[in-house]
Amino acid sequence: MTFTVQDAVSLARTAHEGQVDKSGKPYIGHPLRVMAAMTDDRGRMAAVLHDVVEDTDVTADDLRAAGCPAEVVDAVIALSHLGGEPQEDYLRRVAANPLAVRVKRADIADNSSPHRLADLDEPTRLRLTEKYRRAVALLDGLAPAVPPA
């Protein structure tokens, strides 16, 4: 049986059930929006799963056991920010995985969208705007954006 994008979506929905984002909306909306920015199935899978290892009880071994492709699991691992890990180290790990870079850029774009930031209080909005600006600058230095072919 082949692991599909729909399998990844179902796994992410179950894993993120009950979680809400900073504005109180169901968290699953974020990975689904990141997934919508991807143009291929591996990208869609990695995007919708990008926070499950970091933010839920799902492990990389669980993803492998579910039949998730190794390339996708590797990207999800790269995208999982470890507790206490400096941002530079985290983004260096992301930059080493081309699939993770594509997902991280879409993740930052969604997290920093004016529509999403508008739902937050001003101090949080300012803090996150700076966090994402810095993340893009670091990522650009490590893995320069490549224009679409």
Side-chain angles (χ1 to χ4, degrees), residues 64-82:
R64 288 183 194 97
C68 190
E71 176 187 7
V72 172
V73 175
D74 291 345
V76 171
I77 291 168
L79 289 158
S80 299
H81 200 153
L82 307 173

Side-chain angles (χ1 to χ4, degrees), residues 33-49:
R33 288 188 302 273
V34 176
M35 180 183 82
M38 298 293 106
T39 58
D40 62 292
D41 284 351
R42 301 287 173 156
R44 289 182 190 98
M45 288 179 203
V48 78
L49 295 171

